[in-house]
Amino acid sequence: MCQVEEEDLEKVAASEALAIPGESLKISDISERPCIKCGAPAAIHLRDEDFKCGACLVASVNQKFRIVLAKYKISSSKERVLVAFSGGPASSALLGTLRHATSGSIYSRLFLVPVILYIDEGASFELPLEERKKHLTSVMEAADSSGSAWLLLHSSLEMVFSSEPMQLTSEFVGGTALDVHTDTHCIERLGKLMRSVKTQTGKEEIAKLLRTTLMRKIARQLSISTLFLGDSVDRLAVQLITNTALGKGKRLPLDLGYLDAHDPICTIVRPLKDVTKKEIAMFNAVSEIRSVEVPVIQSVGDTRASVYSFTEKFVFDLQAGFPQTVTTLCKTGDKLCSVTAGKIGKKAEDDFCEFCLGPMDSSEKDSCTAENSIALSLRLSALLKKGPVDLEDVMSERRSGISSCGSKDVGCGDTETGGCCQSKEKKQPECDRLCYSCRWMMAELGDRTLLPDDLASELDQRGRRNKMRESIKEFLL
Amino acid sequence: MAVIHVEFAGGVELLFDNVKKLTIPLECVGGDTASKENKILTIKDLLQRLRQSYLKQRPELFLQGDSIKPGILVVINDCDWELMGGPDYALAPGDTVVFISTLHGG
């Protein structure tokens, strides 16, 4: 039989007191520890008993980069790769690891040809042109200081509105300010688009969508099929929660994975996915890699201004007390996949959202979607006004296809108005070819003609194609 | 004169009027009372001095209570501050303290 003595309880209490988060390893205990690899004095404490000196840290970051490339067989190719460079610490570290990998001994050298691309986003928050020129020059100088003769390209976010092939190169002469590739008409359109979005979250999401579209466009223009992004594990952990909060659950495997190959034109690779921001900061300090901080749409904003900023604060505050937070989030995120994941591989156009190119999540069959959950919640709220409700009944009605509460006074169930049981995103019939989060974005935007012509026309074209397919369906074998 | 070198990177400099490097005399770190009492000056004192004299906007983006905001990395003489004693590290003349923001957009 088990017996608990008073003495044992005291021991348990003492061990629990030791296990207070953040207190498990007191600072006095970890000072002057040796590196776990080589025994030299450590320069960084990563987690628990993981101490590393500067040289071992640099080697480990380079190693992590190479492992990702080797795993996805990118290291053996001699192709050109487009490297997104923002000037910040993570993308500077990405250039550092690339430089290390493409130089050195011929036996271990990678033969990739990096093409560096900087996208200036100043126009999205109406930064004066002079400021933008200054930032562009400093970013390009930072990219050039890497010492490799890589092709340096730059473009501006507003150029996503341009229908002509973009100018990407500039004659780089040290000491003179570079000219931003821009166009007054495109700046006006971007300004109008950004002003029409009411919330900061919407603005950030639109800017992200435009940035991805522009990068794809440039990759297509240059005939490059691989794009490297410098996303670190911390950023992906915040992105995981933000995506879930914005109803992009089905996109998680694409946004958080090492490789996102769902776009046939451009494969996105995240070689620094396993590297933390702390490692990156220290890697840059030890390797003397220069980074430039250029203000972006989120800079010096209120921590409650957008879902992303708020989630970032939440995750980092949690990380301060519980050092495994970010790792746990990312490891859990890696295991998440859609219940209808098998369909993602199918290249049928209808299964993909035209804007974000993610899998569609508005299927009625799939019960675990943000849209269905909101519809259920709205329906319950509407029914609760009438009296007590049995959740089981509502669920079974939903399964049998009844999706309105039937209130005559608000016209619920009406196909035109939608009624009280449909979310505002669902009420936009022209958006039925978009995923939930893109529909939410369209609801924020109000007018889709504000979007770049490519996106809008593609959407119309697809609508017409669908109609045509319907009409000829009977004649097809 | 004994001085401390302070550097800002990763976007923290935006809160300090875009100043990337500061040189602060050691006796200024703790204020008048500290120099009279011959007190040992720590990173905590440095943070207070930065808040009082150098921080230009939004102190909540740099500090949280008496300590640094989570997400901002402190590097003392090319070494992680956790290995040097954290906020209680006793400053010595000629030390270089770097504050690096790891928050997106700085």
Side-chain angles (χ1 to χ4, degrees), chain A residues 172-345:
Chain A
F172 191 77
V173 186
T176 53
L178 285 169
D179 265 339
V180 179
H181 295 150
T182 186
D183 180 84
T184 340
H185 175 63
C186 293
I187 293 184
E188 269 171 31
R189 283 192 70 178
L190 181 67
K192 209 172 158 192
L193 173 71
M194 292 317 259
R195 280 193 296 275
S196 73
V197 185
K198 289 136 235 155
T199 60
Q200 178 70 15
T201 309
K203 282 183 201 243
E204 285 174 16
E205 287 300 307
I206 288 272
K208 198 175 149 196
L209 173 73
L210 295 182
R211 187 169 55 231
T212 322
T213 313
L214 182 63
M215 284 196 285
R216 288 210 173 101
K217 216 170 150 181
I218 292 172
R220 204 177 307 149
Q221 187 180 320
L222 299 168
S223 316
I224 297 178
S225 60
T226 314
L227 170 68
F228 278 14
L229 296 182
D231 287 330
S232 62
V233 64
D234 301 65
R235 193 153 171 201
L236 292 173
V238 178
Q239 199 63 55
L240 168 80
I241 308 239
T242 313
N243 272 9
T244 315
L246 292 176
K248 289 190 195 175
K250 221 168 178 180
R251 273 193 67 88
L252 286 178
L254 305 177
D255 281 349
L256 304 175
Y258 293 101
L259 194 88
D260 170 3
H262 74 289
D263 179 6
I265 298 164
C266 186
T267 305
I268 295 173
V269 186
R270 300 182 181 87
L272 299 185
K273 187 186 173 296
D274 287 334
V275 186
T276 64
K277 286 235 173 185
K278 191 172 178 180
E279 283 174 285
I280 286 176
M282 214 57 180
F283 174 83
N284 287 352
V286 176
S287 316
E288 293 179 355
I289 292 173
R290 240 181 80 196
S291 66
V292 189
E293 204 52 47
V294 175
V296 287
I297 201 157
Q298 289 106 330
S299 291
V300 204
D302 189 355
T303 43
R304 293 184 180 202
S306 72
V307 176
Y308 187 92
S309 324
F310 191 63
T311 315
E312 190 176 45
K313 184 183 181 306
F314 169 70
V315 172
F316 283 4
D317 282 357
L318 211 57
Q319 172 81 7
F322 300 86
Q324 297 291 348
T325 306
V326 164
T327 334
T328 313
L329 273 174
C330 271
K331 292 288 167 207
T332 314
D334 285 346
K335 292 180 186 76
L336 293 176
C337 64
S338 161
V339 282
T340 50
K343 289 182 182 171
I344 296 172

Side-chain angles (χ1 to χ4, degrees), chain A residues 449-476:
Chain A
T449 52
L450 293 170
L451 281 167
D453 304 335
D454 299 5
L455 284 175
S457 66
E458 185 70 31
L459 205 59
D460 289 337
Q461 205 180 25
R462 203 166 129 182
R464 282 200 298 274
R465 221 178 288 150
N466 278 353
K467 268 185 195 165
M468 196 171 78
R469 198 179 297 141
E470 276 297 309
S471 61
I472 60 163
K473 211 164 89 182
E474 288 173 22
F475 306 105
L476 291 175

Side-chain angles (χ1 to χ4, degrees), chain A residues 15-216:
Chain A
S15 62
E16 275 177 3
L18 276 174
I20 296 169
E23 297 286 328
S24 51
L25 268 177
K26 284 184 180 162
I27 280 171
S28 55
D29 297 339
I30 60 172
S31 46
E32 290 165 24
R33 286 284 194 97
C35 167
I36 53 164
K37 292 234 165 171
C38 66
I44 185 169
H45 173 223
L46 294 167
R47 59 194 154 261
D48 297 340
E49 291 296 322
D50 194 357
F51 299 89
K52 280 201 180 86
C53 67
C56 289
L57 173 81
V58 171
S60 110
V61 172
N62 281 325
Q63 189 65 21
K64 283 179 183 176
F65 170 83
R66 291 190 79 116
I67 287 172
V68 176
L69 264 58
K71 193 174 174 187
Y72 293 96
K73 299 187 176 68
I74 302 161
S75 51
S76 54
S77 69
K78 290 181 183 178
E79 281 176 27
R80 289 194 299 168
V81 288
L82 196 61
V83 184
F85 179 68
S86 68
S91 37
S92 302
L94 181 60
L95 287 202
T97 50
L98 261 171
R99 191 174 59 241
H100 180 268
T102 51
S103 57
S105 155
I106 193 147
Y107 300 108
S108 58
R109 193 190 301 165
L110 300 188
F111 293 98
L112 293 171
V113 183
V115 176
I116 317 297
L117 172 71
Y118 166 64
I119 294 176
D120 168 58
E121 296 181 27
S124 62
F125 51 99
E126 291 167 14
L127 202 70
L129 199 60
E130 282 308 308
E131 288 270 312
R132 291 174 58 191
K133 276 186 186 175
K134 216 165 74 186
H135 291 313
L136 170 69
T137 314
S138 57
V139 170
M140 294 313 267
E141 273 173 359
D144 197 42
S145 69
S146 66
S148 309
W150 293 332
L151 184 60
L152 305 178
L153 306 176
H154 64 98
S155 188
S156 315
L157 195 61
E158 63 268 27
M159 294 314 279
V160 73
F161 289 98
S162 160
S163 50
E164 290 153 21
M166 286 164 277
Q167 195 199 339
L168 297 165
T169 47
S170 268
E171 195 64 35
F172 191 77
V173 186
T176 53
L178 285 169
D179 265 339
V180 179
H181 295 150
T182 186
D183 180 84
T184 340
H185 175 63
C186 293
I187 293 184
E188 269 171 31
R189 283 192 70 178
L190 181 67
K192 209 172 158 192
L193 173 71
M194 292 317 259
R195 280 193 296 275
S196 73
V197 185
K198 289 136 235 155
T199 60
Q200 178 70 15
T201 309
K203 282 183 201 243
E204 285 174 16
E205 287 300 307
I206 288 272
K208 198 175 149 196
L209 173 73
L210 295 182
R211 187 169 55 231
T212 322
T213 313
L214 182 63
M215 284 196 285
R216 288 210 173 101

